[in-house]
Structure formats: structure tokens, C-alpha cells
Amino acid sequence: MNAAAAKLVARGRLDTRALTRLRRVGILIPFVILFAVLSLTSESFATKTNLLNILDQQSATLIIAAAGTLVLVAGGIDLSVGATYSLAAVTSAHFALHTNPAVAIALGIGAGLLVGIANGVITTTFRINALITTLAMSFVVSGIAGLVTKGNLLVLFEKPGFGKFARTEFLTVRTSIWLMIVAVLVIGFVLSSTTAGRYMYAAGGNAEAARLAGVRVNAVRILAFALSGGAAGLAGVIDTSRVLSAQASTGDTALAFTVLAGIVVGGTSILGGEGAVWRTVVGVLFIALIGNGYILLGLDPLYEQITMGVILLLAVGLDALTRRTG
Amino acid sequence: MSAPEPDRYLELLDVAKHFGGVQALSGVSLSVARGTVHALVGENGAGKSTLGRIVAGALAPDDGRVVLEGEPVAFRSPREALEHRVAAIAQEPFVVPQLTVAENVFLGVEPRSAGVVRNGKLSDAYAALAATAGFDLPGGVLAGRLRTADQQKVEILRALSRDAQLIVMDEPTAALSARETEQLHEIVRRLVAAGKTIVLISHFLREVLDLAEAVTVLRDGRVVRTAPAARESESSLVEAMLGRSLGSTFPPKKPPGSDAPAVLSVRELVAPGVEGATFDLRAGEILGIAGLVGAGRTELARALFGAARIASGSVTLADGGRLGRSPRRSLSAGLAMIPESRKDEGLIFARSVTENATLSRLQSLASLGVVRRGRERKTARSVLEECDVRGAHYSAPVAALSGGNQQKVLFARTLLCSPHVLIADEPTRGVDIGAKRAIYEFLTNLAGGGAGIVLISSELEEILGLAHRVLVMRRGRIVAELAGDAIDEGTILAAAFADETRGAAA
């Protein structure tokens, strides 16, 4: 009750213009500062090997987070991406053992896509909260992944052909990175430049207004979830190809939360209607740089998690502050 | 400055306030006498709400002084203002929907022992308070279930429970039906009779002239003049607000010829809140729908547009196309709607003016699913200029616009759909007088171009001034149809209120 009373009191008192501006430039400033600091303090940071390594390791997270941005913008949330990623990983590994790589890749991505579509249909058609739907779905999907592997680690060292998907070098850069760049650009383009992307902003910003303006809100949300599932599938396949092995617990919930952290730190609102894929890319890389910095500078990794948590709180707090006057 | 005279309850001296680069108020001085209603009028953006919020402690002035009972005060929050017995009642009432009426009234000051709320005492205190105020509002009902008018009563009771002496009311009747408005006026008179002082911010000049002792006219953040209400008239106030005189408020009526074809046929329509509606709308006709709040007008609009599910009956356009399935299909068939609440149902606040204008027609501005931005900007600019949307760059968020301009953006959106039929639900709610006129002209022009218009309004004046024919609704049914010279205030009210004279407060 008193919280509500406090809200009554606080209504409209804060001038948050500066904060809004801060959020618009957003994560770019801390990212550049961190990059500069790491470049100066560690000799091995700003080397091609280290930077490409970071991108290689983050390619899965970047792809999933890019698509996850669309889900958040459209007013949903997808917590099942970790499990979906694992399902796609083991599905592609399973079929890579028995069929040719192309089929394995297609089936892995297809599995992710199916999970995404299921998420979208359940949350929209049956009007079940996306948080609960995707949380429940992540248990179901993890279970299915376990059924595929029967609890074993699937090893693909005998199938180097499958490894070519992510491990081929092109212009001295691995295909895992190229695939990530293409996927992120395509997803970013969908959000920023297509009618579907525009409808996602509308659906997340004000679903009823969007519906009355003739936007198919449900279809748009299903599309966002489908892209999220498909992206998790692609990421799972890429990582399986990168490390040539997969098991059912590869992704789990940690990945879903890392992805969400990247999106939110980037400045996309968890309440929907606002955000951009480029922000998410910077957000994910910012988090990755912190991890990389801790290793390169030899800092106690225990503090890394604390740092992460504080940064996440700051990002969410800034979002809440800028919304208060809106 | 001379010492304040004893009857000056509140004085503002040279108050100024700016938001970013915009000077919302400058050099505003006025004094409010104890036990009177002092009205603030002006166009949207003239600064009256800002002034009201400064008085109520929701905003701090950049410059100048606020003097209460001879003491300079500087409220840092509405709570501090409340401690000085100054309260505010907003246009959109602030209640916690999950709490009961009584709990809302005593929010934060519940009678309690050791932190535990004493529910018995609470309901006793509520009953006493409601009786004093003369409100017939049960304390145990959840506040979220109440209509706007009753939620406002909750706010008024909340103010009274803190023994507020000065109450700032910002557009208190904007969301009320005619009858509820009358009730609120009665409450205001009673409060004043009990010695309370009221600062009334209102767009309704007749209301202002009826209730207030003194009127301050604001324009562009400055006081034009303060004068006794007895010396003002609606036209003198409008002139002062606009800085120029305005011809007649409503454009001349041009009813359709008797041979005008029907553009919309509604037969035995049953939907949530609508108990069977049958009527035709002709090309070029403005059909007014009058009735009390809750009579089913908005429900009818939503059912026609396909926003609410139809149980039985039919809605057909001239070409035989069936409607009422989804807003999307209605729009592509040529039926558009301006929804009742532009904030909840109309605009995407965080997105740009342009994007809001083009939302319904985005497909036609895209190739292969990719939005052609150049084309979008050009199309949006021409239609936004046609609707005279002003106040912010078209790439700025639509939230930056004033209420009237936001409403014009919705009109721009429907214009892009080139509708055969437009349903306008409370199109002028919360907009200033200049924008109202623009909206009236827009509706008249659209009808002149051959479209049929269904106009829903709680402002009877608007129905009288614009509609060629009027349907009166009561309890989900159309109970009267008036046309031409038969349209008059008394007949409409009689039909709307028939056998509800007792039940309205319940």
C-alpha cells in the first residue's frame, strides 16, 4: 500500500530528459571506454586472435540475442532459448552421425523453429503469459533433448564434414563468425526496416492500439518467437559444429539469462515496444569484454559475476527511470 | 508587494516554469479567494495544467513564489502539499484498482494498531466521510470496478479525508457523462459552501461560467486576464484564449440528399453491451449517437468495427461486404474508427508521429515487406499537414504532441485509409478549442466527400452542432431516432434518461 502511495507522491516529479538521452546513446559509451581501457592495460587484448576468439565464442549468444530482441520488442520474452539451443545441438549431432551434414543442419535449425512457433502459438492463441510459457517449454524441450541423446555425449570427431559448417576459414575469419554476422544483419534488418519489424514495435508498445490499427498482433508475435527459436536452433548447430560434440545439458537456463542480460544491458526495454538489434550486439559484446578482461588482467573471477549483476541492475534501473515520466 | 488581504487564500507571484527549451509559464501572478471556485482556462499547452500542478506540489516552479494563507510555501511533493491541506484531483483518477473504495480513500493513513489495519474502524470512518460529503458510494467495492465518475469521487473523498482546504481539479468532467457532470458540479458547489477553495481547470466554458467566481485566462504560459466570471461570456473567454475571435464553433450542416445511398447497414446487432441495434448510415451523413456513459455507445462502435465479438446480427457495407470480424478486415473494407481513448487504444506513444500515422497503411508503403522510408515520410507529411498536426517534428515520438495534435494524428491515420465509413468515438475528448474546430471541420469535410460518419460524443453540443440525425442509446438499445429540426437537447436527454432518473447513482 505504501509503495502505491509513494508512487502517487513521485508522480511526474523527476525530470528524466538527461536520462532518456543517456539511454539513447546507451551502452555505446561504456563499451568504448571498456574497450579502450582493456586495449591500454592488456597487450594481448587488442590482437586479432583475441578479438576473433571473442566473436567466435559469442557467435551463438549474439545470434540468439539478436532474435530475442525482436521477441522483447514485440512485448514477449523467451526463456526457452537455452533449452532450444541444446535441442538443436543434439538433434544436429544425432543426424550428423547417421546422415549427411546438410540434413543434420536443416533438422537442427528446424527443431528450433518448431519450438519457437509452439511458443508463439501458445502465448498468443491460448493467452498464456510468455514468461511462463517459455519457462515451461524449456523443461519440455530439455526433456526431449535428453531423449534424443539418451543421456550420452554425442561425439562427432569421426564426422569432420559437419565441422566444416562453422570451422571453415574464409578471408582469415571462421564461418561461425560469418554466419553470425549474416544472421544478425538479417534479423536487424527485419526489425528496423520491414513492415513486420514495425508491427513488432507497435505490438509491444501498445497491443490494443496496434490491433485496432489493423495490425495482426498475434501473427507478429508468433513470427518473433519463431525467429527466436530458429535463431537458437542455428546457434546450437553452429556450436555443435564448432566443438564437434553435443549433449542435452549444453545450453540450459544459464544461456537464456546471458542472452537476456545482453539484450537488456544493450538498452532494449523488457516492457516491450523499444529496442534495437545493434544495441543488443553491443550489450552482448560488452558483457563478453568484461569476462575477457577479467581473464586477461588476471582478476578474481568471483567479482565478475558481481560486476555483471550490478551492470544489469543499472541497465534495468535506467529503463525504469526513463519510463517513469513517459 | 503588499501584504495579502485576509480573504486571499492562495497567491502566486511571478511564477515561471520551463520544460527543456519550452517556457510553459512565465510571470504568472494571481490570487485565489477563500471559499470560491477559481477557474483556469486556456488552450491545450497554454500552461493551465502546469499551473495546477505547481499549486498542488506536483511540480516546483523555476521562479516566483507560492503564498498560502500569507505564508510562502515551496512544496516538494504532493504529500507536502497535502500536509498544508492542498489536494489535487486529476482528470484520470488515480486509484489502486485491487483495493476497495474505502482502502483507496484512506490509502497511507489507514487506522491501524501496531501496523495492522483496523478494518472495522476503516469502514466506520469511510461511512462517516461519505455521509458528510453526501456520496452514495459503497466502501467495500473494488475501486477498479468503478466508472471514471465514481473513481473521481474516491479522489475527492481522499482529499476530504485529509481535510484538504484547497482542491485543484484538472478537467474533472472531461470523462464524465452529462448526468455525472451535473453531479460533480453539485459536489463542487457543496464543497465551496463548506468553505473549501477550488481551483478548477476546464475546457468547458459553460461549466466554468456556471461554477466559478473568478476566471483566469492563460495563453502561451502568460495570464491574459483574471476577471469575475459574471463579467465573462463564452465568446469573451474564447476570444481571450485564442487572441482572436472565433466565428461560430460548428461548420454549417450539409445534410445528405434524400436519395443518398446507404453506406452501412446494421441489422439486429447483438454484441457485448449491445442488445440489438438496427440502423442505416447514408453517404454524406453524420449520424450522432447520444446516451449516458455505459449506455452501450462505445460497445456499439467496437462491435461495428470488429474490435469486439459479435454474437448475432450483421454489419454490411454498401458493396455487400460483411464486417465486424476484425479491425484489420474493417479497415481494408473501408470502415475506420477513432477509438475512445487515444492513449490506450489509439497511439503507440514511444513511436514517431510518422509511424503512428502510417501504421494502418504500411503495406501499401512497402515493397516485398520492406518499408520504403522515403515514400512513407512523404505520404505521412502530406497527410499530417493536411490534418494540421503541429508541435513537434514528425520524427519525434507522438507522446511529445499535445492532446489535440495527438488526436489529429489519429485522424491522419484514418484519412490514409480513405474510409467510406468513419466511426469517431469521443473525437474531441481532452483537446483544446482550436483542435476541436479542426476536428469538426475534418468530420464535416469527410462527410461532404461522401463518407458516412458515426459520431459518438458525451458533449451534447457536439451532437447538436454536427449530426444530421441522432440515435439515442440506453441500456444497449437504440431508444430514439431524431432527425433535422427534431434534434434538440431536451428530447435527447429525455430519451437518454428515461426511467433512469433514480438508478443513475447506483
Side-chain angles (χ1 to χ4, degrees):
Chain A
M1 269 189 212
N2 284 331
K7 204 170 142 198
L8 179 83
V9 169
R11 194 162 35 154
R13 274 198 63 80
L14 208 63
D15 182 23
T16 56
R17 247 157 246 270
L19 287 172
T20 312
R21 229 174 287 135
L22 191 64
R23 184 169 137 198
R24 205 156 287 160
V25 189
I27 185 65
L28 214 48
I29 295 168
F31 178 80
V32 169
I33 294 172
L34 182 61
F35 197 95
V37 168
L38 286 176
S39 305
L40 293 174
T41 50
S42 164
E43 276 183 12
S44 44
F45 173 75
T47 59
K48 187 182 168 191
T49 320
N50 185 49
L51 295 181
L52 283 180
N53 234 331
I54 295 177
L55 282 182
D56 187 39
Q57 286 161 8
Q58 295 299 320
S59 52
T61 311
L62 282 168
I63 292 171
I64 301 173
T69 309
L70 272 54
V71 175
L72 250 70
V73 164
I77 190 166
D78 191 350
L79 293 183
S80 72
V81 287
T84 309
Y85 162 92
S86 294
L87 177 67
V90 299
T91 304
S92 64
H94 179 83
F95 286 100
L97 287 172
H98 301 105
T99 61
N100 72 59
V103 172
I105 292 165
L107 288 175
I109 298 171
L113 206 57
L114 277 181
V115 175
I117 292 170
N119 280 330
V121 170
I122 293 169
T123 60
T124 56
T125 315
F126 301 105
R127 296 187 191 179
I128 301 174
N129 177 293
L131 192 96
I132 303 301
T133 302
T134 56
L135 186 63
M137 195 59 117
S138 74
F139 290 112
V140 174
V141 169
S142 286
I144 296 173
L147 289 177
V148 172
T149 63
K150 303 185 180 67
N152 298 319
L153 174 70
L154 303 181
V155 181
L156 296 171
F157 293 125
E158 313 283 304
K159 303 276 174 184
F162 186 72
K164 283 183 183 161
F165 183 54
R167 285 149 59 109
T168 308
E169 293 232 336
F170 175 67
L171 302 177
T172 77
V173 174
R174 278 180 160 203
T175 39
S176 60
I177 297 176
W178 286 116
L179 285 166
M180 177 272 287
I181 291 172
V182 171
V184 167
L185 285 178
V186 168
I187 294 166
F189 182 78
V190 167
L191 183 62
S192 70
S193 303
T194 66
T195 51
R198 196 65 76 69
Y199 294 153
M200 285 173 193
Y201 283 112
N206 188 340
E208 179 65 1
R211 190 175 77 92
L212 293 184
V215 174
R216 279 182 292 196
V217 172
N218 284 357
V220 163
R221 286 190 171 151
I222 291 172
L223 176 65
F225 277 107
L227 284 173
S228 175
L234 175 63
V237 174
I238 288 176
D239 271 3
T240 304
S241 171
R242 268 181 62 221
V243 300
L244 284 177
S245 69
Q247 59 185 23
S249 60
T250 326
D252 59 35
T253 41
L255 179 60
F257 287 116
T258 310
V259 163
L260 199 57
I263 298 172
V264 171
V265 167
T268 292
S269 169
I270 43 169
L271 297 175
E274 284 174 72
V277 169
W278 72 264
R279 297 175 164 285
T280 295
V281 170
V282 183
V284 168
L285 290 180
F286 182 69
I287 291 173
L289 285 195
I290 292 175
N292 191 246
Y294 268 92
I295 294 167
L296 293 182
L297 300 178
L299 301 173
D300 187 341
L302 286 179
Y303 289 102
E304 184 190 335
Q305 295 201 340
I306 299 175
T307 316
M308 264 308 307
V310 171
I311 288 169
L312 198 53
L313 283 175
L314 284 176
V316 178
L318 196 60
D319 180 42
L321 275 179
T322 50
R323 272 180 181 263
R324 198 167 288 175
T325 46
Chain B
M1 298 284 157
S2 61
E5 290 166 28
D7 75 326
R8 288 191 182 170
Y9 189 69
L10 171 77
E11 268 197 299
L12 300 177
L13 300 168
D14 265 331
V15 167
K17 178 79 191 171
H18 69 89
F19 298 107
V22 182
Q23 194 70 34
L25 290 176
S26 50
V28 171
S29 298
L30 58 91
S31 68
V32 178
R34 185 192 298 273
T36 65
V37 177
H38 191 115
L40 302 179
V41 300
E43 283 199 274
N44 270 2
K48 51 195 193 305
S49 287
T50 306
L51 194 56
R53 293 175 69 187
I54 286 175
V55 171
L59 284 175
D62 297 334
D63 210 349
R65 288 191 297 154
V66 180
V67 181
L68 191 70
E69 295 186 282
E71 295 284 317
V73 289
F75 302 138
R76 278 175 312 211
S77 69
R79 170 166 286 194
E80 266 192 40
L82 213 46
E83 281 163 14
H84 286 82
R85 306 200 295 181
V86 174
I89 287 156
Q91 180 182 347
E92 304 284 333
F94 182 83
V95 298
V96 185
Q98 298 87 349
L99 297 182
T100 66
V101 166
E103 284 166 341
N104 264 289
V105 167
F106 292 101
L107 194 63
V109 295
E110 302 85 355
R112 59 188 120 193
S113 326
V116 180
V117 176
R118 306 272 303 271
N119 280 319
K121 264 195 176 174
L122 184 73
S123 51
D124 290 348
Y126 176 80
L129 184 67
T132 326
F135 288 178
D136 184 18
L137 191 63
V141 180
L142 289 185
R145 299 251 174 94
L146 298 179
R147 294 177 303 178
T148 310
D150 288 334
Q151 292 187 349
Q152 273 174 344
K153 288 185 189 164
V154 172
E155 284 216 328
I156 293 172
L157 287 175
R158 192 188 280 148
L160 294 179
S161 74
R162 268 66 159 191
D163 192 28
Q165 294 300 312
L166 175 66
I167 302 176
V168 181
M169 296 186 172
D170 191 352
E171 296 287 354
T173 58
L176 303 188
S177 69
R179 184 180 179 79
E180 290 165 335
T181 300
E182 200 38 60
Q183 284 182 352
L184 188 94
H185 290 176
E186 201 41 56
I187 291 164
V188 168
R189 291 194 188 97
R190 223 169 16 225
L191 291 173
V192 169
K196 317 282 188 204
T197 308
I198 291 183
V199 172
L200 174 71
I201 297 164
S202 178
H203 276 127
F204 303 103
L205 301 180
R206 199 181 292 165
E207 165 175 289
V208 163
L209 293 171
D210 281 356
L211 290 175
E213 273 83 4
V215 185
T216 296
V217 183
L218 291 166
R219 185 171 72 225
D220 300 330
R222 293 170 186 281
V223 174
V224 177
R225 66 164 174 263
T226 298
R231 288 225 304 267
E232 296 280 6
S233 67
E234 280 188 57
S235 58
S236 73
L237 288 176
V238 168
E239 217 167 295
M241 283 158 58
L242 295 178
R244 62 189 155 87
S245 74
L246 197 65
S248 69
T249 317
F250 296 100
K253 282 191 196 181
K254 278 174 269 168
S258 53
D259 56 341
V263 286
L264 182 76
S265 301
V266 181
R267 294 289 173 270
E268 297 297 329
L269 182 69
V270 178
V274 181
E275 312 279 337
T278 296
F279 65 90
D280 282 331
L281 175 69
R282 291 188 298 159
E285 185 178 35
I286 299 182
L287 177 64
I289 306 219
L292 306 178
V293 169
R297 297 169 304 166
T298 293
E299 289 77 3
L300 175 64
R302 290 176 64 87
L304 294 177
F305 186 54
R309 202 161 289 220
I310 290 177
S312 67
S314 70
V315 183
T316 37
L317 277 183
D319 59 10
R322 284 211 148 202
L323 290 171
R325 293 178 195 183
S326 79
R328 183 183 164 72
R329 290 188 201 187
S330 297
L331 283 168
S332 53
L335 173 77
M337 179 172 84
I338 305 279
E340 184 182 21
S341 162
R342 61 176 166 269
K343 181 166 155 259
D344 296 333
E345 304 163 323
L347 297 169
I348 321 289
F349 264 44
R351 305 307 293 174
S352 73
V353 177
T354 297
E355 283 186 27
N356 271 282
T358 57
L359 187 58
S360 292
R361 291 290 290 164
L362 206 54
Q363 298 287 4
S364 69
L365 300 171
S367 344
L368 298 170
V370 179
V371 179
R372 297 270 155 231
R373 280 180 204 256
R375 233 169 104 192
E376 185 193 20
R377 256 199 307 274
K378 239 176 83 187
T379 310
R381 192 188 308 133
S382 83
V383 74
L384 288 165
E385 277 168 5
E386 190 180 336
C387 291
D388 197 26
V389 175
R390 279 177 293 178
H393 201 268
Y394 295 157
S395 62
V398 76
L401 295 177
S402 69
N405 280 299
Q406 287 177 1
Q407 198 74 7
K408 290 184 201 162
V409 173
L410 286 179
F411 275 98
R413 185 194 284 169
T414 54
L415 208 58
L416 276 182
C417 298
S418 28
H420 307 304
V421 176
L422 173 68
I423 303 164
D425 192 354
E426 303 287 359
T428 62
R429 174 172 293 176
V431 313
D432 61 83
I433 222 159
K436 264 187 188 175
R437 236 193 107 88
I439 289 168
Y440 297 151
E441 258 158 34
F442 177 90
L443 292 172
T444 312
N445 291 341
L446 202 60
I453 291 176
V454 176
L455 170 69
I456 296 173
S457 176
S458 292
E459 284 182 57
L460 215 43
E461 262 174 49
E462 261 172 34
I463 299 274
L464 298 172
L466 291 171
H468 305 133
R469 189 155 61 98
V470 178
L471 303 177
V472 184
M473 287 189 76
R474 192 176 72 230
R475 294 186 191 273
R477 294 177 187 281
I478 295 170
V479 294
E481 178 180 340
L482 311 166
D485 294 338
I487 303 175
D488 76 83
E489 200 168 350
T491 324
I492 293 176
L493 282 177
F497 277 114
D499 55 72
E500 291 221 9
T501 34
R502 265 182 319 121

